[in-house]
Short mmCIF file of all heavy atoms in Angstrom, two decimals:
data_model
loop_
_atom_site.label_atom_id
_atom_site.label_comp_id
_atom_site.label_asym_id
_atom_site.label_seq_id
_atom_site.Cartn_x
_atom_site.Cartn_y
_atom_site.Cartn_z
N PRO A 1 13.45 6.35 -7.39
CA PRO A 1 13.29 5.64 -8.61
C PRO A 1 14.15 4.37 -8.61
O PRO A 1 13.74 3.42 -9.47
CB PRO A 1 13.74 6.67 -9.65
CG PRO A 1 14.62 7.62 -8.95
CD PRO A 1 14.04 7.68 -7.53
N ASP A 2 15.18 4.24 -7.80
CA ASP A 2 16.09 3.04 -7.84
C ASP A 2 15.75 2.06 -6.82
O ASP A 2 16.54 1.07 -6.63
CB ASP A 2 17.54 3.55 -7.80
CG ASP A 2 17.87 4.31 -9.02
OD1 ASP A 2 17.27 4.19 -9.97
OD2 ASP A 2 18.87 5.24 -8.84
N GLU A 3 14.66 2.33 -6.07
CA GLU A 3 14.40 1.39 -4.95
C GLU A 3 12.98 0.74 -5.28
O GLU A 3 12.10 1.32 -5.90
CB GLU A 3 14.19 2.13 -3.68
CG GLU A 3 15.50 2.69 -3.10
CD GLU A 3 16.59 1.63 -2.81
OE1 GLU A 3 16.06 0.48 -2.32
OE2 GLU A 3 17.77 1.90 -2.91
N ALA A 4 12.83 -0.55 -4.88
CA ALA A 4 11.57 -1.32 -5.10
C ALA A 4 10.40 -0.90 -4.26
O ALA A 4 9.29 -1.23 -4.59
CB ALA A 4 11.93 -2.78 -5.04
N GLU A 5 10.71 -0.22 -3.09
CA GLU A 5 9.61 0.12 -2.19
C GLU A 5 8.65 1.03 -2.85
O GLU A 5 8.94 1.98 -3.41
CB GLU A 5 10.06 0.66 -0.93
CG GLU A 5 11.32 -0.06 -0.24
CD GLU A 5 10.87 -1.50 0.31
OE1 GLU A 5 9.76 -1.88 -0.13
OE2 GLU A 5 11.54 -1.90 1.12
N SER A 6 7.31 0.70 -2.68
CA SER A 6 6.33 1.39 -3.32
C SER A 6 5.07 1.70 -2.39
O SER A 6 4.82 1.02 -1.37
CB SER A 6 5.71 0.70 -4.61
OG SER A 6 6.77 0.61 -5.60
N PHE A 7 4.29 2.66 -2.78
CA PHE A 7 2.87 2.80 -2.27
C PHE A 7 1.91 2.50 -3.46
O PHE A 7 2.05 2.94 -4.43
CB PHE A 7 2.66 4.27 -1.83
CG PHE A 7 3.27 4.69 -0.58
CD1 PHE A 7 4.65 5.20 -0.54
CD2 PHE A 7 2.59 4.59 0.63
CE1 PHE A 7 5.13 5.62 0.62
CE2 PHE A 7 3.10 4.99 1.81
CZ PHE A 7 4.47 5.48 1.79
N GLU A 8 1.08 1.52 -3.08
CA GLU A 8 0.08 1.15 -4.05
C GLU A 8 -1.32 1.25 -3.49
O GLU A 8 -1.59 0.73 -2.41
CB GLU A 8 0.28 -0.39 -4.45
CG GLU A 8 -0.66 -0.88 -5.47
CD GLU A 8 -0.41 -2.24 -5.96
OE1 GLU A 8 0.52 -2.96 -5.45
OE2 GLU A 8 -1.07 -2.79 -6.96
N PHE A 9 -2.13 1.96 -4.21
CA PHE A 9 -3.52 2.15 -3.81
C PHE A 9 -4.47 1.18 -4.45
O PHE A 9 -4.36 1.01 -5.83
CB PHE A 9 -4.03 3.65 -4.08
CG PHE A 9 -3.17 4.61 -3.33
CD1 PHE A 9 -2.04 5.21 -3.85
CD2 PHE A 9 -3.56 5.04 -2.15
CE1 PHE A 9 -1.23 6.03 -3.16
CE2 PHE A 9 -2.87 6.08 -1.38
CZ PHE A 9 -1.70 6.57 -1.97
N LYS A 10 -5.18 0.41 -3.68
CA LYS A 10 -6.10 -0.62 -4.21
C LYS A 10 -7.47 -0.36 -3.86
O LYS A 10 -7.70 0.08 -2.66
CB LYS A 10 -5.60 -1.96 -3.87
CG LYS A 10 -4.24 -2.27 -4.24
CD LYS A 10 -3.77 -3.70 -3.84
CE LYS A 10 -4.38 -4.78 -4.71
NZ LYS A 10 -3.92 -4.84 -6.06
N ARG A 11 -8.47 -0.70 -4.61
CA ARG A 11 -9.86 -0.44 -4.32
C ARG A 11 -10.33 -1.34 -3.08
O ARG A 11 -10.02 -2.49 -3.16
CB ARG A 11 -10.80 -0.70 -5.56
CG ARG A 11 -10.43 0.29 -6.53
CD ARG A 11 -11.45 0.08 -7.81
NE ARG A 11 -10.99 0.83 -8.98
CZ ARG A 11 -11.70 0.79 -10.09
NH1 ARG A 11 -12.93 0.23 -10.10
NH2 ARG A 11 -11.28 1.39 -11.18
N SER A 12 -11.11 -0.76 -2.25
CA SER A 12 -11.75 -1.56 -1.18
C SER A 12 -13.13 -2.02 -1.59
O SER A 12 -13.65 -1.42 -2.46
CB SER A 12 -11.74 -0.71 0.10
OG SER A 12 -12.55 0.39 0.09
N ASP A 13 -13.63 -2.84 -0.81
CA ASP A 13 -15.12 -3.28 -1.00
C ASP A 13 -16.04 -2.14 -0.84
O ASP A 13 -17.14 -2.14 -1.31
CB ASP A 13 -15.39 -4.49 -0.20
CG ASP A 13 -14.56 -5.66 -0.47
OD1 ASP A 13 -14.18 -5.78 -1.69
OD2 ASP A 13 -14.40 -6.55 0.33
N GLU A 14 -15.65 -1.12 -0.02
CA GLU A 14 -16.64 0.02 0.30
C GLU A 14 -16.59 1.07 -0.68
O GLU A 14 -17.20 2.03 -0.55
CB GLU A 14 -16.15 0.52 1.74
CG GLU A 14 -16.34 -0.39 2.89
CD GLU A 14 -15.30 -1.49 2.99
OE1 GLU A 14 -14.11 -1.29 2.38
OE2 GLU A 14 -15.60 -2.55 3.45
N GLY A 15 -15.75 0.92 -1.73
CA GLY A 15 -15.64 1.86 -2.78
C GLY A 15 -14.63 2.85 -2.72
O GLY A 15 -14.41 3.69 -3.60
N GLY A 16 -13.78 3.00 -1.62
CA GLY A 16 -12.76 3.86 -1.54
C GLY A 16 -11.39 3.05 -1.74
O GLY A 16 -11.44 2.21 -2.65
N TYR A 17 -10.32 3.32 -0.95
CA TYR A 17 -9.07 2.69 -1.25
C TYR A 17 -8.46 2.20 -0.01
O TYR A 17 -8.69 2.83 1.11
CB TYR A 17 -8.08 3.66 -1.96
CG TYR A 17 -8.54 3.84 -3.46
CD1 TYR A 17 -9.42 4.78 -3.80
CD2 TYR A 17 -7.95 3.02 -4.50
CE1 TYR A 17 -9.73 4.95 -5.13
CE2 TYR A 17 -8.29 3.20 -5.76
CZ TYR A 17 -9.21 4.22 -6.11
OH TYR A 17 -9.47 4.35 -7.39
N TYR A 18 -7.68 1.25 -0.17
CA TYR A 18 -6.59 0.92 1.01
C TYR A 18 -5.30 1.06 0.46
O TYR A 18 -5.06 1.17 -0.83
CB TYR A 18 -6.89 -0.43 1.63
CG TYR A 18 -6.68 -1.69 0.76
CD1 TYR A 18 -5.56 -2.25 0.54
CD2 TYR A 18 -7.84 -2.18 0.15
CE1 TYR A 18 -5.31 -3.41 -0.17
CE2 TYR A 18 -7.77 -3.30 -0.70
CZ TYR A 18 -6.39 -3.91 -0.93
OH TYR A 18 -6.37 -5.08 -1.79
N LEU A 19 -4.23 1.11 1.14
CA LEU A 19 -2.92 1.37 0.78
C LEU A 19 -1.95 0.23 1.22
O LEU A 19 -1.93 -0.26 2.34
CB LEU A 19 -2.46 2.69 1.50
CG LEU A 19 -0.96 3.16 1.26
CD1 LEU A 19 -0.75 3.29 -0.21
CD2 LEU A 19 -0.80 4.47 2.01
N LEU A 20 -1.31 -0.27 0.23
CA LEU A 20 -0.16 -1.19 0.37
C LEU A 20 1.20 -0.54 0.40
O LEU A 20 1.56 0.08 -0.69
CB LEU A 20 -0.24 -2.34 -0.62
CG LEU A 20 -1.39 -3.33 -0.56
CD1 LEU A 20 -1.26 -4.26 -1.66
CD2 LEU A 20 -1.50 -4.03 0.71
N MET A 21 1.80 -0.56 1.60
CA MET A 21 3.09 0.18 1.62
C MET A 21 4.30 -0.79 1.75
O MET A 21 4.24 -1.75 2.57
CB MET A 21 3.15 1.16 2.87
CG MET A 21 4.54 1.95 3.09
SD MET A 21 4.53 2.86 4.47
CE MET A 21 4.57 1.70 5.78
N GLY A 22 5.22 -0.59 0.71
CA GLY A 22 6.40 -1.47 0.88
C GLY A 22 7.32 -0.94 1.93
O GLY A 22 7.62 0.25 1.99
N TRP A 23 7.81 -1.81 2.80
CA TRP A 23 8.72 -1.46 3.86
C TRP A 23 9.75 -2.58 4.10
O TRP A 23 9.35 -3.60 4.58
CB TRP A 23 7.93 -1.13 5.13
CG TRP A 23 8.95 -0.69 6.29
CD1 TRP A 23 9.58 0.53 6.38
CD2 TRP A 23 9.14 -1.54 7.50
NE1 TRP A 23 10.35 0.43 7.63
CE2 TRP A 23 9.97 -0.86 8.21
CE3 TRP A 23 8.70 -2.74 7.81
CZ2 TRP A 23 10.47 -1.28 9.41
CZ3 TRP A 23 9.17 -3.24 9.11
CH2 TRP A 23 10.09 -2.54 9.83
N ARG A 24 11.02 -2.22 3.74
CA ARG A 24 12.05 -3.28 4.00
C ARG A 24 11.65 -4.67 3.41
O ARG A 24 11.83 -5.68 4.04
CB ARG A 24 12.36 -3.33 5.48
CG ARG A 24 12.96 -2.10 6.01
CD ARG A 24 13.41 -2.17 7.44
NE ARG A 24 13.97 -0.96 7.89
CZ ARG A 24 14.54 -0.78 9.06
NH1 ARG A 24 14.58 -1.83 10.01
NH2 ARG A 24 15.00 0.31 9.52
N GLY A 25 11.18 -4.59 2.21
CA GLY A 25 10.86 -5.84 1.56
C GLY A 25 9.60 -6.47 1.91
O GLY A 25 9.14 -7.51 1.31
N VAL A 26 8.77 -5.80 2.74
CA VAL A 26 7.56 -6.45 3.19
C VAL A 26 6.44 -5.49 2.84
O VAL A 26 6.56 -4.21 2.89
CB VAL A 26 7.48 -6.58 4.65
CG1 VAL A 26 6.13 -7.20 5.07
CG2 VAL A 26 8.65 -7.63 5.07
N LYS A 27 5.23 -5.95 2.45
CA LYS A 27 4.08 -5.03 2.12
C LYS A 27 3.15 -5.04 3.30
O LYS A 27 2.80 -6.14 3.84
CB LYS A 27 3.27 -5.59 0.79
CG LYS A 27 4.14 -5.34 -0.41
CD LYS A 27 3.26 -5.58 -1.62
CE LYS A 27 3.98 -5.23 -2.99
NZ LYS A 27 3.16 -5.52 -4.09
N LEU A 28 2.81 -3.85 3.63
CA LEU A 28 1.94 -3.71 4.81
C LEU A 28 0.74 -2.90 4.34
O LEU A 28 0.74 -1.95 3.62
CB LEU A 28 2.61 -2.77 5.91
CG LEU A 28 4.00 -3.45 6.41
CD1 LEU A 28 4.82 -2.37 7.16
CD2 LEU A 28 3.70 -4.61 7.31
N LYS A 29 -0.44 -3.34 4.86
CA LYS A 29 -1.77 -2.91 4.48
C LYS A 29 -2.23 -1.71 5.41
O LYS A 29 -2.27 -1.87 6.56
CB LYS A 29 -2.76 -3.97 4.48
CG LYS A 29 -4.14 -3.47 3.94
CD LYS A 29 -5.19 -4.61 3.95
CE LYS A 29 -6.53 -4.24 3.46
NZ LYS A 29 -7.45 -5.32 3.36
N GLY A 30 -2.51 -0.57 4.87
CA GLY A 30 -3.09 0.57 5.56
C GLY A 30 -4.55 0.79 5.24
O GLY A 30 -4.92 0.88 3.99
N VAL A 31 -5.48 0.71 6.15
CA VAL A 31 -6.91 0.90 5.87
C VAL A 31 -7.25 2.40 6.12
O VAL A 31 -6.87 2.96 7.10
CB VAL A 31 -7.73 -0.03 6.93
CG1 VAL A 31 -9.21 0.16 6.78
CG2 VAL A 31 -7.35 -1.51 6.75
N ALA A 32 -8.12 2.87 5.25
CA ALA A 32 -8.57 4.29 5.39
C ALA A 32 -9.32 4.53 6.65
O ALA A 32 -10.37 3.87 6.78
CB ALA A 32 -9.39 4.69 4.04
N VAL A 33 -8.95 5.43 7.44
CA VAL A 33 -9.78 5.79 8.68
C VAL A 33 -10.30 7.14 8.59
O VAL A 33 -11.08 7.47 9.42
CB VAL A 33 -8.74 5.81 9.95
CG1 VAL A 33 -8.30 4.29 10.16
CG2 VAL A 33 -7.57 6.64 9.72
#
């Protein structure tokens, strides 16, 4: 709760989700496989 790093789920064009993961101040995109 005291750290800014997050997992954020966002809708993809295909109707599912992709995942934005915060890691050491950088956001990285994970695609559903």
Side-chain angles (χ1 to χ4, degrees):
D2 297 332
E3 296 294 332
E5 310 291 19
S6 299
F7 282 87
E8 182 177 5
F9 296 89
K10 299 180 77 70
R11 298 185 194 186
S12 67
D13 294 337
E14 292 76 26
Y17 285 88
Y18 63 89
L19 174 58
L20 291 179
M21 179 179 71
W23 177 73
R24 296 187 179 183
V26 178
K27 286 190 176 181
L28 302 165
K29 183 178 180 179
V31 178
V33 294

